[in-house]
């Protein structure tokens, strides 16, 4: 009952959960020895039915798709009942603790280690506690719909404060969540934070909203104000695109940002917040932070509320395979760039290099020859935060659904605009997805009652384009099929040239070679049908000589290729498993494409091109900006 600042809809949703199912679950988190990098967790479950309680450490984390072994870092586990008597514990699997013989109350304590500052793990040290809840909290099966309470204990001598999307209480170190799913989606940054907040004023039918930026830096640099100003402009463009901001249930949306030399580069979306971490240390905005803010904020619509059915509800025990990440992630990447250029936080040239970066591998066919964007999405479990010891040829057969979907977003936007003289674009499509699937919300707080399927994508696209055939053909060819859109024709409408960057230049393809003590070594499987692959040269092979000249370094190999033309033949001596043999390598053509404004190469924009580009890229925040 403390979301007084937000609308009636949220108020009633909160009541549903309070009525839900028994007394709250309470977690107390302490950091008694920050230098030893662990959190001390005390979790209390009351009002339990008889029979064992099944306690789990999660195997997944919302927004990250690999399976994790969070249980690996748990130790010193104890369980007692309501009178403090020790309870029997069994371990049916590595992620579970079954506690039996209790009196209706189970209180467990454990330590959990963590030293990774990113969007997935726990990090505790003398400067802060950075908590991604699935890496920290053990939860009880069958109590998922209870209210959750989190109490943080500040280490002695620290002046740390908290930034989180958890619901506040009168105590600045105590918070609540309406259920387990919301709790596990709610990261906490507990440290020496610089916090800024601003109100996005009400505009038209949209209410006002509070955005907060909480930054933990190595040394305060003024960065927090730079970031706050930039994101203010981006919020305006994204609201104009979607017609309104989502209702942020705790009364605010929060950016939790760590710029620390020991951080990993990451951005992780949550329903009412995001975690952004970067190893940058210089003062001024590290170049990736503002784009990441634009990306993660758009996730508040796209994936958090406009949610694929494949991710709803999200399982904390099993992988969450989805065929829609090209839309959830890739199109979000496209919107990140589009709204940045509209907001003026990047210029046209930066936007073009982002789009060129995304379209190049799609056009070149890297991976696309083997799998569609929908099929690439299904591989997220193997690439997003995954660690492997075995070897793989995935580099040659995989194309990230981020890249793929980014390029599809561009093609979709330009296709819609081309068919409507610039009147209808991806804005209208995403807004239709929002109205049908995001805005209706969920009966339970944090859940989405109308998640979408690929059939819904077809239907919304048919509605906004007024052409079912176009919608089906676009999805069949570019999302579920492996065709590539005609980017040169689409971009020409906006007076942009999509052309070969180095016509006629020779190339060995996307080849990974490195200097090793044994010689110039092919370090990854050459991409299928690349010159080395065709010549029968594989991973681990050593390049000894080209055209009778012994080579001593990768630099020399590249030098030879640069002096030749596409189609030239090289006589190569290659050593496979210590046995040298001669092979002939036919050089390919350099596949790189570049995206250039017509006016930069001496052309003149036609009125149509100028109008088209303006309708696409100009700010539309207007009076609501
Ligand atoms: Zn994302």
């Amino acid at each position: 009952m403390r979301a007084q600042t937000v609308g009636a809809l949220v108020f009633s949703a909160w009541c549903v959960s309070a009525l839900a199912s028994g007394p709250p679950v309470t977690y107390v988190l302490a950091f008694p020895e920050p230098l030893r990098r662990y959190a001390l967790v005390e979790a209390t479950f009351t009002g339990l039915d008889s029979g064992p309680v099944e306690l789990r450490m999660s195997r997944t984390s919302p927004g990250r798709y690999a399976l994790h072994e969070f249980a690996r870092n748990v130790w010193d586990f104890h369980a007692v009942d309501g009178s403090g008597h020790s309870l029997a514990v069994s371990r049916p699997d590595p992620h579970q603790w079954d506690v039996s013989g209790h009196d209706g109350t189970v209180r467990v304590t454990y330590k959990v280690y963590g030293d990774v500052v990113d969007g997935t793990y726990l990090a505790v040290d003398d400067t802060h506690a950075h908590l991604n809840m699935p890496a920290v909290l053990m939860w009880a099966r069958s109590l998922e719909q209870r209210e959750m309470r989190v109490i943080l204990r500040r280490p002695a001598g620290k002046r740390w404060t908290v930034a989180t999307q958890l619901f506040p209480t009168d105590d600045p170190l105590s918070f609540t969540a309406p259920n387990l799913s919301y709790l596990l989606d709610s990261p906490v940054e507990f440290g020496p934070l610089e916090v800024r907040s601003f109100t996005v004023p009400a505009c038209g039918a949209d209410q006002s909203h509070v955005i907060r930026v909480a930054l933990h830096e190595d040394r305060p640099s003024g960065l927090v104000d730079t970031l706050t100003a930039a994101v203010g402009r981006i919020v305006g463009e994204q609201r104009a695109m979607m017609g309104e901001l989502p209702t942020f249930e705790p009364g605010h949306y929060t950016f939790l940002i760590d710029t620390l030399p020991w951080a990993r580069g990451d951005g992780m979306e949550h329903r009412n917040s995001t975690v952004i971490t970067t190893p940058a240390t210089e003062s001024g905005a590290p170049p990736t932070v503002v784009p990441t803010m634009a990306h993660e904020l758009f996730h508040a619509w796209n994936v958090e509320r406009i949610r694929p059915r494949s991710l709803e509800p999200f399982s904390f025990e099993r992988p969450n395979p989805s065929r829609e990440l090209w839309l959830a992630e890739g199109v979000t990447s496209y919107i990140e760039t589009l709204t940045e250029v509209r907001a003026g936080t990047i210029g046209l040239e930066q936007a073009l290099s982002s789009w060129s970066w995304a379209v190049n591998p799609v056009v070149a066919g890297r991976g696309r020859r083997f799998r569609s964007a929908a099929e690439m999405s299904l591989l997220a479990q193997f690439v997003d935060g995954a660690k492997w010891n075995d070897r793989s040829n995935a580099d040659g057969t995989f194309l990230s659904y981020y890249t793929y979907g980014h390029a599809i977003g561009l093609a979709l936007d330009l296709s819609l605009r081309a068919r409507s003289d610039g009147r209808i674009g991806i804005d209208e499509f995403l807004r239709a997805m929002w109205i049908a699937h995001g805005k209706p919300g969920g009966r339970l707080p944090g859940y989405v009652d109308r998640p979408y399927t690929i059939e819904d994508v077809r239907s919304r696209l048919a509605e906004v384009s007024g052409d079912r055939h176009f919608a089906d053909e676009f999805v069949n060819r570019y999302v579920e099929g492996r065709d590539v859109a005609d980017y040169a024709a689409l971009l020409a409408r906006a007076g942009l040239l999509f052309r070969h960057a180095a016509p006629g230049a020779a190339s060995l393809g996307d080849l990974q070679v490195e200097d090793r003590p044994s010689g110039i070594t092919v370090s990854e499987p050459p991409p299928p049908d690349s010159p080395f692959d065709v010549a029968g040269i594989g991973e681990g092979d050593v390049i000894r000589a080209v055209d009778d000249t012994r080579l001593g370094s990768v630099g020399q190999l590249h030098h030879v290729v640069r002096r030749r033309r596409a189609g030239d033949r090289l006589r190569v001596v290659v050593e496979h498993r210590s046995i040298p043999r001669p092979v002939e390598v036919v050089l390919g053509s350099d596949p790189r494409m570049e995206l250039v404004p017509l006016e930069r190469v001496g052309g003149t924009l036609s009125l149509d091109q100028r109008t088209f580009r303006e309708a696409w890229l100009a700010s539309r925040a207007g009076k609501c900006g």
Side-chain angles (χ1 to χ4, degrees), residues 7 127 264 326 387 403 432 435-436 484-485 555 582 595 597:
T127 73
R264 289 181 181 172
W326 62 273
K387 301 261 185 300
T403 317
I435 300 293
V484 62
L595 191 43

Side-chain angles (χ1 to χ4, degrees), residues 36 93 113 123 150 163 166 262 331 375 412 501 522 526 539 554 581:
R36 292 206 157 105
D93 70 49
Y113 168 88
V150 175
L166 288 168
W262 57 92
V331 170
E375 291 165 330
L412 178 59
V522 180
E539 176 190 13
V554 170
R581 66 191 166 90

Side-chain angles (χ1 to χ4, degrees), residues 269 295-296 299 328-329 332 402:
E269 70 276 9
H295 181 104
E296 304 306 336
H299 274 316
E329 287 297 353
T332 297
Y402 281 84

Side-chain angles (χ1 to χ4, degrees), residues 7-72:
L9 203 154
V10 175
F11 187 80
S12 64
W14 180 250
C15 290
V16 168
S17 95
L19 294 174
S21 46
V25 173
T26 303
Y27 293 94
V28 180
L29 301 172
F31 312 93
E33 300 178 286
L35 289 172
R36 292 206 157 105
R37 309 288 203 275
Y38 71 86
L40 176 63
V41 182
E42 180 189 273
T44 305
F45 309 90
T46 58
L48 301 171
D49 294 336
S50 57
V53 180
E54 298 177 358
L55 300 176
R56 298 278 304 176
M57 284 300 284
S58 300
R59 295 216 61 200
T60 63
S61 184
R64 188 123 285 158
Y65 296 99
L67 278 182
H68 297 279
E69 312 289 351
F70 296 128
R72 188 164 85 105

